[in-house]
Amino acid sequence: MTKDNNEIVEHLSDMELGQEGIVSKEEVLSKKDTEFKEAAKEPKAPQKRWYIVHTYSGHENKVKVNLEKRIEYMNMSDKIFRIEVPQKTITKMKDGKKMDREEKIFPGYVLVEMIMDDDSWYVVRHTAGVTKFVGSSKKPIPAKDSEIKKIIHKTQNQVTKVELDVKAGDKVRIISGPFSEFIGDITEVYPDKSKLRAMVSIFGRETPVELEYKQIQKI
């Protein structure tokens, strides 16, 4: 290209060089737009998402175990990744003894992280105890990632809830602490703090004392 041609190219405002010479910007933009549309048509790799599965009541943990076995048996670990049954621990105090039990946060539901296609749908849907996916029967709807993160975070960072089979007006015996062996009448119960308030007769005077659940026995 000569010096004159170089100067001409440098001052072009609506033309640019192509492989076959100088072409208009309109032609370049049209070509790029076509390339973009063609790229958009290319199928994207399927992504794993969380889906919510409805189960028979009380069968949540059985579904989890059954599905994990089916994933292994049917070699579906590349499409079905995690199964979660969100739970919280409930501690019940009875006669001064502590008993723990697990309680489902969402009874009747199981969370499944998977890549949805015909094969993975079949494996999950036909697991014993599963009744359906949340969504239409033909097109399960994935859950929002933000909602799943909140649920899993809540499960992993749960605060143990303590229950006590007493109420205001009940008479209790104090079994530990400075008022051990005293008898009191409950006036208030604070489930969120696992505490209660009772009136205890001390030196002939009714005195309010605050107690923890583990310090009393119901009479």
Side-chain angles (χ1 to χ4, degrees):
M1 186 178 289
T2 65
K3 179 179 179 181
D4 291 339
N5 282 340
N6 282 333
E7 292 177 352
I8 292 172
V9 170
E10 288 175 359
H11 289 85
L12 286 175
S13 61
D14 61 344
M15 311 280 281
E16 64 178 59
L17 288 173
Q19 292 181 347
E20 299 179 356
I22 299 177
V23 295
S24 69
K25 283 189 175 181
E26 287 76 9
E27 291 178 300
V28 173
L29 291 173
S30 177
K31 182 179 179 181
K32 290 181 178 179
D33 184 57
T34 300
E35 291 174 350
F36 176 80
K37 290 179 179 178
E38 289 297 324
K41 292 180 181 178
E42 295 179 3
K44 296 181 180 180
Q47 295 183 335
K48 61 182 180 180
R49 300 290 301 276
W50 283 96
Y51 292 84
I52 302 175
V53 175
H54 190 269
T55 72
Y56 291 116
S57 180
H59 287 230
E60 300 87 356
N61 288 330
K62 289 182 181 179
V63 166
K64 175 179 169 66
V65 172
N66 290 339
L67 182 51
E68 287 172 342
K69 289 179 179 178
R70 282 170 63 81
I71 292 170
E72 183 178 359
Y73 176 73
M74 302 180 77
N75 296 317
M76 292 294 289
S77 59
D78 60 333
K79 292 184 179 180
I80 307 173
F81 308 99
R82 294 172 62 187
I83 303 99
E84 296 287 343
V85 180
Q87 299 183 126
K88 59 183 176 182
T89 302
I90 303 295
T91 299
K92 188 169 185 178
M93 300 296 300
K94 187 172 183 179
D95 296 331
K97 296 180 180 180
K98 187 167 68 172
M99 296 179 288
D100 293 338
R101 62 181 172 84
E102 297 296 322
E103 183 178 278
K104 309 293 186 300
I105 296 177
F106 302 106
Y109 294 95
V110 173
L111 310 180
V112 182
E113 185 184 37
M114 60 189 288
I115 294 174
M116 181 62 71
D117 63 15
D118 290 343
D119 293 334
S120 60
W121 177 91
Y122 182 89
V123 171
V124 176
R125 177 62 186 84
H126 292 278
T127 296
V130 172
T131 60
K132 63 180 180 179
F133 277 94
V134 170
S136 65
S137 58
K138 294 183 179 179
K139 188 177 181 181
I141 299 174
K144 293 181 180 179
D145 291 338
S146 57
E147 293 177 349
I148 296 297
K149 287 180 181 178
K150 287 180 181 178
I151 293 171
I152 293 177
H153 178 77
K154 183 177 180 180
T155 303
Q156 293 174 342
N157 298 276
Q158 63 170 320
V159 176
T160 301
K161 180 181 177 183
V162 180
E163 291 183 345
L164 187 65
D165 59 341
V166 295
K167 61 184 182 300
D170 286 346
K171 192 176 290 293
V172 295
R173 175 181 287 104
I174 302 172
I175 59 175
S176 66
F179 302 104
S180 180
E181 300 304 322
F182 279 79
I183 303 296
D185 295 303
I186 296 177
T187 57
E188 293 179 89
V189 179
Y190 312 113
D192 55 329
K193 298 180 180 180
S194 300
K195 293 183 178 181
L196 56 85
R197 185 179 293 274
M199 295 299 291
V200 179
S201 178
I202 302 175
F203 304 121
R205 295 182 59 184
E206 293 294 315
T207 305
V209 296
E210 190 170 87
L211 303 163
E212 295 183 3
Y213 284 179
K214 63 183 179 181
Q215 290 181 277
I216 60 97
Q217 278 184 347
K218 186 177 178 181
I219 297 177

